[in-house]
Amino acid sequence: MKDILHPLCLMIAGTGFLFLLRDLGKSRRDPALVALAFTYGFSGLSYAISLTWVWVRIDSTLGVTNIAVPLAQSCVVLVFALQATVLAHWSKPLAEARRRGRLLLTAAAAVILCMGVLFVLLTPATQRPTDFSLYYAHDPFFQAYLTLYIATYTVAEAYLARSCWKYARTASNPSIARGLRLISIGAVITLGYSAIRIGAVLGAVFGFSVKGLDPYAWLCGDIGAALTQVGYFLPTLVKRITAVRAWCTAHLRYRRLRHLWSAMDQADPGIALRRPARQRDELLRGRSAHFPLLRRRVEIRGGQTLLRRYLDPAVRAESEARHGAAGLTGAGLAAAVTADQIRAALVRHHAVEPVAAPADYADAELPLATPEDELLHLQRVAAHFTPLPSRASAPRDPHSAPSGVRT
């Protein structure tokens, strides 16, 4: 059972650590993030050490039978201290959280030291990577060792379950609240591991066996720990998904505005203070389109201003009647009419035929209070806009060819 569940937990812990490692390079001064990254790191290390083939390799390399046991369980004790440290930084002032973090790590070091002394006194001679706890449950030193470890384990998980459920009630962020509840549920499930391991010690004293429950101990321990890891990572995962969605949305919006912007740019390249990079190149480099999108919005609005004197009132009246008859109303009607006005104004601009009494844009009175509102509106305009035929494809006047060119 252990060698089935541990690789899954190792994958979860390793993924969380690698994701947080990237953020850690940008936010090294965030103590909660540092503690959380090390939580996943030590958790993954404990699972890796406990795998049977790794266990055997460590024993042979270090020359100490079952040395993998205190190594893996020391990592687990550190995970408990780091988890509580993360909660302290999430719920308390920085100075108090740091003080509590130092106290927790000192306590973890003391527990690890005591476990090391008891393990040396135990001096296990037989390698037992699958049933170590049950095999040595009769040994007094191991009983003391396991009691210390399980007591620490139980207190830590009980604290985690109680604190996370309490903080989840007051969390304003839904993903954080769900993550805290998931941590609490996982911590409660891991208590089944504690109960079975304590049962092994009591069984050695009072003459009963819990060997049949050993698979369930691993099941409770690994499933509970996996839920805890997912719970801690859930807010980060939601944040990442939101960022990816925003990245994709910005690029999609940027592309949707391409034809509308290009038409205005061809009419007057001066609307763009800086020539944009090719979107394909930006996509391949993984760059965000957020700032280029904001710039494109401003440039399109600037193009509309430049075309203002070419707005024919008759075009607006005809467009409003046609789109109104088609069932468009409100912002949708204003966007469709504005698109027609821009196209007609571009035709007049190319012909240098300004209007004596130009009309207003149909969207001039729309309540576009935020850049987001304006971007959504411009996307609607772009969806209705039909680009002009390329001037390069238009018939060419041979008399306009520059001197020296043979026709």
Side-chain angles (χ1 to χ4, degrees), residues 93-135:
L94 181 59
E96 185 179 350
R98 284 180 173 171
R99 188 164 52 251
R100 177 166 293 193
R102 287 192 294 268
L103 181 62
L104 287 166
L105 290 173
T106 302
V111 170
I112 291 170
L113 180 62
C114 292
M115 286 169 55
V117 171
L118 290 170
F119 183 82
V120 170
L121 295 173
L122 173 63
T123 61
T126 304
Q127 193 174 65
R128 310 292 298 191
T130 57
D131 60 349
F132 180 86
S133 296
L134 293 175
Y135 185 82

Side-chain angles (χ1 to χ4, degrees), residues 42-99:
F42 281 114
S43 183
L45 190 59
S46 71
Y47 289 121
I49 293 173
S50 298
L51 294 173
T52 298
W53 67 272
V54 179
W55 180 313
V56 173
R57 182 64 61 87
I58 290 175
D59 283 5
S60 62
T61 301
L62 298 180
V64 180
T65 305
N66 295 317
I67 189 63
V69 174
L71 292 178
Q73 292 179 344
S74 294
C75 290
V76 174
V77 172
L78 287 172
V79 167
F80 293 150
L82 290 167
Q83 285 177 335
T85 300
V86 171
L87 286 180
H89 280 287
W90 284 356
S91 60
K92 300 185 180 301
L94 181 59
E96 185 179 350
R98 284 180 173 171
R99 188 164 52 251

Side-chain angles (χ1 to χ4, degrees), residues 157-190:
E157 295 294 2
Y159 170 79
L160 203 62
R162 178 181 175 277
S163 299
C164 288
W165 198 263
K166 172 186 174 183
Y167 296 141
R169 295 175 181 172
T170 58
S172 57
N173 187 310
S175 65
I176 292 177
R178 294 189 190 101
L180 289 171
R181 289 192 182 98
L182 199 57
I183 294 169
S184 185
I185 293 169
V188 170
I189 292 174
T190 60

Side-chain angles (χ1 to χ4, degrees), residues 312-325 333 337 340-341 344:
D312 189 344
V315 170
R316 175 172 178 174
E318 184 276 332
S319 180
E320 286 178 339
R322 176 163 45 86
H323 289 296
L333 177 62
V337 174
D340 289 346
Q341 287 181 286

Side-chain angles (χ1 to χ4, degrees), residues 371-394:
E372 177 67 16
D373 294 337
E374 200 164 15
L375 279 172
L376 290 174
H377 168 67
L378 288 179
Q379 284 184 92
R380 290 192 289 265
V381 174
H384 288 285
F385 179 74
T386 304
L388 296 176
S390 174
R391 290 196 290 174
S393 63

Side-chain angles (χ1 to χ4, degrees), residues 2 4-5 33 72 83 113 142 155 160 164 192 198 200 206 215 219 232 239 242 257 276 279 288 317 344 357 398 400:
K2 173 172 70 74
I4 295 174
L5 295 174
L33 184 63
Q83 285 177 335
L113 180 62
F142 181 71
V155 169
L160 203 62
C164 288
I198 287 295
F206 296 105
L219 202 62
Y232 270 113
K239 185 178 178 181
T242 303
L257 296 177
Q279 189 176 13
S288 171
S400 67

